[in-house]
Amino acid sequence: MENNSKTFFSKVKTYISDIVSLSDHIDTDKASQYIRSNIDFKGPNAYILAFAIIVASVGLNTNSIAVIIGAMLISPLMGPIFGIGYGLGTNDTSFLKKSFKNLIVMVVISVLASTVYFLVSPLELENPTELLTRTNPTIYDVFIALFGGSAGIIEISRKDKGTVISGVAIATALMPPLCTAGFGLATGSLKYFAGALYLFSINSIFIAIATLLAVKYLKFPMATFTDPAKQKRVSRWIAALVIIIIIPSVYSAVIMIRENNFSHTAKEFIAANKELSRSYIYDHSIDFRAKPPKVELFIAGEALSHEELNLIYKSAHEFGFTDDQIIISQNAATDQREMTDRVAIQSIYERSDQEILKREQIIDTMRKELQSYKTRELPYEQITNELLAQYPGLTNVTMTRGYSINPDSLGKRQEEILVILSAEKPISGENVEKLRKWLTVRLDFENVKLLQE
């Protein structure tokens, strides 16, 4: 029994080892050649970078996600970043310097090109969401860069390469932050410029760190061997850089989570108090800059009484808000005694979201009922013409849809179509039955009754 148990666990261990093992799938020599051949910034790469920058800038300027993704796929920026990680991992100082220099040149050219574009672009967006998302990086961007970079270097090292690099280029988003930095320079916004460069730094550094760790783990051939003391100093510098980069992103993530939770709770509180007695909350705003954050409610309709105000504050307490966090603005509300005709007409036209939704639901229900009625309408004229074609002697055709009720079971009723025919000469019983069967097929309804006057 004990031997069987050991054999089972040994098989499981071997199976798991086969799954996670990389040794049979990795070619470090080809990977090294690939990385070394993709750090140069000259010839085609220079043109491709310039074109990609313009494409990304246009995408950000027009809030077009598809265009931004296309620019990220075109960009050659990944090469020098992988080269920095590779140079650190293999102790290749000259290659590290070359990769770093090329990356700096690419960054400078990218920022300058995007700055020129945004200076000459006539398009200004009121809410440039794709630009704004590149100015406030968090710890989640660190995770994306680290694990995206890990996937990228493993893909580069794999014998049979696939399309992972394209996915890494999209996920880690190196081009958009540089374009946003150019936008910050063009508009004189230090917030945009600094936030975008910080995001680019996060992406670049953690892709390089992921490459460094993978190069060490996969045992890439070393260019030179350094003494342990120097290696320890390099490791300390890298660790210090990582900590310096991570701390602001963690703080930003904490702020983002708090604001998101506060906003969600505020919306629940407003939904619970949307409809008041003779007034309603028609809008709200949240001030996250205040300490603590505040929620301002905008009231329309009649001015709230003292009792109604107390009810709102009581409800706010149930959602975790204090009185100081709730600001009630009644500029659009009017006292009943001072209600003017203009305000009365305005209040008639002001509808809450729930009222509009109810009316839309009623209209939708009526529309469905009307459609159902139309589908059940019998084609009277067409059926009459077809019957006359078969029996020219018909003088009258009556057709209706209704229900038959059995007196013994009043709770049950059966739908039927009743057809009454009048003719110059009586129609034989056999022909009447043939007509009835024809009508069941023609009307696609089984319970057809055919009578003859």
Side-chain angles (χ1 to χ4, degrees):
M1 185 69 176
E2 186 176 348
N3 289 335
N4 290 338
S5 178
K6 289 182 178 179
T7 303
F8 172 75
F9 284 113
S10 176
K11 289 182 178 179
V12 171
K13 183 179 179 181
T14 302
Y15 178 72
I16 295 174
S17 178
D18 290 340
I19 292 176
V20 300
S21 176
L22 294 172
S23 57
D24 295 336
H25 308 278
I26 297 299
D27 189 337
T28 57
D29 292 334
K30 286 187 177 180
S32 298
Q33 294 174 8
Y34 178 88
I35 294 173
R36 289 181 178 278
S37 63
N38 279 275
I39 69 162
D40 289 331
F41 182 61
K42 57 185 178 181
N45 279 350
Y47 288 94
I48 291 172
L49 178 64
F51 298 151
I53 280 292
I54 300 301
V55 170
S57 298
V58 172
L60 290 168
N61 198 196
T62 58
N63 271 347
S64 174
I65 298 176
V67 174
I68 296 169
I69 291 174
M72 289 187 282
L73 291 173
I74 297 171
S75 167
L77 279 168
M78 295 288 289
I81 297 174
F82 281 123
I84 291 172
Y86 175 83
L88 287 171
T90 59
N91 294 329
D92 193 334
T93 307
S94 61
F95 185 73
L96 173 63
K97 290 179 180 179
K98 185 178 180 182
S99 299
F100 187 75
K101 182 186 73 173
N102 287 343
L103 179 62
I104 294 298
V105 172
M106 286 184 174
V107 169
V108 171
I109 291 177
S110 299
V111 173
L112 289 177
S114 59
T115 301
V116 171
Y117 169 81
F118 284 110
L119 282 173
V120 300
S121 173
L123 180 61
E124 292 185 7
L125 297 178
E126 292 183 4
N127 186 25
T129 54
E130 290 301 320
L131 285 167
L132 289 172
T133 55
R134 268 80 187 185
T135 61
N136 192 28
T138 67
I139 189 65
Y140 300 107
D141 293 292
V142 172
F143 294 150
I144 292 170
L146 183 61
F147 292 105
S150 299
I153 186 60
I154 291 177
E155 171 68 11
I156 289 172
S157 305
R158 198 166 69 172
K159 293 178 181 178
D160 301 321
K161 293 178 174 55
T163 59
V164 174
I165 295 298
S166 300
V168 174
I170 295 172
T172 53
L174 293 168
M175 293 289 287
L178 294 179
C179 296
T180 305
F183 176 81
L185 284 180
T187 57
S189 174
L190 180 62
K191 177 184 176 182
Y192 275 59
F193 178 74
L197 281 188
Y198 178 44
L199 175 57
F200 179 79
S201 299
I202 285 177
N203 290 339
S204 301
I205 289 172
F206 283 93
I207 291 174
I209 289 175
T211 305
L212 164 64
L213 296 176
V215 165
K216 293 287 189 184
Y217 176 75
L218 298 175
K219 296 181 173 56
F220 274 61
M222 304 294 285
T224 59
F225 294 92
T226 57
D227 61 277
K230 184 177 180 181
Q231 188 67 38
K232 187 176 289 186
R233 285 197 300 272
V234 172
S235 299
R236 287 175 180 173
W237 276 106
I238 293 174
L241 180 62
V242 168
I243 293 172
I244 293 171
I245 289 292
I246 283 181
I247 288 176
S249 67
V250 172
Y251 175 76
S252 181
V254 170
I255 297 298
M256 181 187 71
I257 292 170
R258 285 180 179 175
E259 290 182 356
N260 182 74
N261 291 341
F262 186 89
S263 179
H264 180 72
T265 305
K267 288 179 181 178
E268 288 184 339
F269 160 66
I270 291 167
N273 296 274
K274 189 81 174 178
E275 297 291 338
L276 305 171
S277 58
R278 294 184 178 181
S279 54
Y280 58 91
I281 302 172
Y282 71 90
D283 200 1
H284 75 281
S285 66
I286 300 176
D287 184 6
F288 291 111
R289 294 174 296 179
K291 302 298 180 184
K294 299 182 185 297
V295 180
E296 185 172 4
L297 308 178
F298 298 96
I299 307 297
E302 293 184 17
L304 298 177
S305 64
H306 183 70
E307 291 76 14
E308 289 172 328
L309 288 172
N310 287 337
L311 287 175
I312 291 178
Y313 286 119
K314 182 179 178 181
S315 176
H317 297 162
E318 294 174 356
F319 283 90
F321 299 113
T322 63
D323 290 351
D324 294 338
Q325 290 181 280
I326 304 299
I327 302 172
I328 299 177
S329 176
Q330 301 193 68
N331 294 333
T334 306
D335 187 86
Q336 180 67 21
R337 294 169 298 180
E338 300 176 358
M339 180 77 76
T340 62
D341 292 340
R342 181 183 61 80
V343 176
I345 294 172
Q346 182 180 357
S347 65
I348 291 173
Y349 282 101
E350 289 176 338
R351 294 290 185 265
S352 68
D353 295 340
Q354 292 183 357
E355 290 175 334
I356 294 173
L357 180 60
K358 288 178 183 178
R359 281 157 178 74
E360 289 179 348
Q361 289 174 344
I362 292 172
I363 292 171
D364 186 57
T365 301
M366 294 176 65
R367 186 183 293 113
K368 290 179 180 178
E369 290 178 355
L370 179 60
Q371 184 65 30
S372 175
Y373 176 77
K374 287 182 177 179
T375 57
R376 289 167 49 81
E377 187 175 3
L378 296 172
Y380 302 104
E381 293 184 3
Q382 189 173 353
I383 293 295
T384 300
N385 291 332
E386 292 176 6
L387 286 170
L388 285 172
Q390 298 179 62
Y391 292 92
L394 290 175
T395 59
N396 187 59
V397 177
T398 302
M399 191 184 317
T400 184
R401 187 190 295 270
Y403 294 92
S404 62
I405 301 175
N406 189 339
D408 296 333
S409 55
L410 294 177
K412 296 182 179 180
R413 63 179 185 175
Q414 186 176 16
E415 186 177 5
E416 65 180 16
I417 294 176
L418 178 64
V419 181
I420 303 174
L421 303 179
S422 297
E424 296 174 352
K425 295 181 180 180
I427 305 172
S428 67
E430 182 181 355
N431 287 333
V432 168
E433 179 60 21
K434 286 181 179 179
L435 278 175
R436 191 195 69 78
K437 291 181 178 180
W438 173 79
L439 285 169
T440 60
V441 176
R442 177 64 179 80
L443 297 173
D444 193 20
F445 190 81
E446 186 65 30
N447 193 19
V448 176
K449 287 188 177 181
L450 181 60
L451 302 178
Q452 181 180 190
E453 286 187 344

